[in-house]
Structures are given as C-alpha cells and as structure tokens.
Amino acid sequence: MASGGRALIVIDYTYDFVAPDGKLTCGAPGQAIGPYIARQIEDFAATGDLVVFAVDVHDEGDWYHPESRLFPPHNLRGTAGRALYGAVGAAYDRLAADGLPANVRWMDKTRYSAFAGTVLEMDLRARGIEELHLVGVCTDICVLHTAIDAYNRGFRVVLHEKGVASFSPEGHAFALQHVRQVLGADVK
Ligand code: ZN
C-alpha cells in the first residue's frame, strides 16, 4: 500500500539527454544533478513510495511525430541513448538487481508530458497518490509539461530545484518561476 500518497517522477534522465555526447544533451547542468536525483530515488524507494522512471522513446523514421520537425533523432528505441545515465542509472540498476520492486516502475512516454498517452494517471489514482515530486530534464520542456498536466489533473506538485536542469539557463529560470507562480507548486 502507498504509505504517504506521494510519488517521485524521474523524467528523461537518459544518456541522450544528459551525457556530454548525448544526442540532445542538457550538458553540465544535467550531469550535475545526477547524485541528487539518485538520493531521491533511494529515499522514495526505501519508504515504499512510488518511483516512476518516465522515459522518452522514439522510433527511427517516425516522421508523423511532431518532434521529428523540431529535434534531431534522440532516445531511439533499442539504443544506448535510452539508458539511464550516471548515478541515476546506477540507482536504477541496484533496484532492478533482483527484479524491480512493485513500487518502482519504468514507463515509456512519447511526448514531453509523462501523462500524454501513458498509464501514469491510472497508476497514481489506483494508489491514492496526490502529491508528485518531479526531477529530471529538461526543466523547461518535459518537466514543465508534466508539471502542467499534473496541475490540470489536480495533483499537488513538488518540483526539486536541485533535481532539474536544462541546456537553457533562461528556459530553466522561466520554468521554475512558472511552476511556482502559475501552477502554485512547491519549488524546493
Ligand atoms: Zn523526445
């Protein structure tokens, strides 16, 4: 059973989005937040709270996908670019060593928001979860879109400032301000 009605959503912390030579990397700011996110993962997993790894997936040559006009190919299915990066990857591997515990889930997504076309909302409602803690990348793209969808669905949002990053300092600052002032989220 859910203990505290909260979940940690780890967004897109993959090789392509974080590694120095990732296809669509956030660069150094993304690499710097790995250990903080890994601590949150271990904390939430240990208390029995839900941990969801929401991970972008694309198929090569999917020209119908809107991102195909916006970004170079990234997080392609079956490639190393989709592997979780650094300390976050290590935290996941530790949890998965004996099979993922029931409170830890991997969830593919194909759009910015972790809610778009996924079972995330059903999983949260089924567990009575009302509070979402968001970490990952990029602050102003997938994290922001997930925060907005969470707001529209009536979830409380806690955005971990030390656990989010973007390739764009301006976008990062805007997103934090928007999430705090317009979504009424707790930015900590
Ligand atoms: Zn994408």
Side-chain angles (χ1 to χ4, degrees), residues 21-185:
D21 60 343
K23 299 277 195 304
L24 206 53
T25 188
C26 285
Q31 293 146 30
I33 62 175
Y36 177 87
I37 297 176
R39 283 198 298 279
Q40 302 309 308
I41 292 166
E42 274 151 17
D43 184 30
F44 275 69
T47 52
D49 290 309
L50 184 66
V51 178
V52 177
F53 291 86
V55 183
D56 208 23
V57 63
H58 296 293
D59 291 302
E60 198 153 16
D62 180 7
W63 307 119
Y64 295 99
H65 196 292
E67 284 178 34
S68 68
R69 296 186 294 275
L70 296 165
F71 302 112
H74 60 277
N75 268 42
L76 293 175
R77 195 185 304 278
T79 66
R82 287 196 78 213
L84 297 170
Y85 182 77
V88 172
Y92 179 87
D93 289 346
R94 279 194 295 278
L95 289 169
D98 300 313
L100 278 184
N103 64 316
V104 179
R105 299 205 52 180
W106 176 287
M107 196 192 73
D108 288 344
K109 67 181 183 67
T110 65
R111 297 297 190 276
Y112 303 143
S113 169
F115 286 96
T118 71
V119 297
L120 179 59
E121 183 172 8
M122 281 198 296
D123 277 3
L124 297 171
R125 302 279 187 222
R127 290 167 169 79
I129 290 166
E130 296 173 345
E131 184 174 287
L132 305 188
H133 291 246
L134 304 185
V135 293
V137 297
C138 302
T139 321
D140 49 331
I141 306 181
C142 291
V143 175
L144 177 63
H145 282 250
T146 300
I148 290 170
D149 273 354
Y151 167 86
N152 285 328
R153 286 163 170 76
F155 293 99
R156 274 196 310 281
V157 173
V158 179
L159 189 141
H160 292 233
E161 188 166 358
K162 292 196 190 92
V164 295
S166 175
F167 57 92
S168 160
E170 298 82 10
H172 176 80
F174 162 79
L176 290 182
Q177 185 196 38
H178 186 88
V179 166
R180 186 186 287 120
Q181 294 182 356
V182 179
L183 304 183

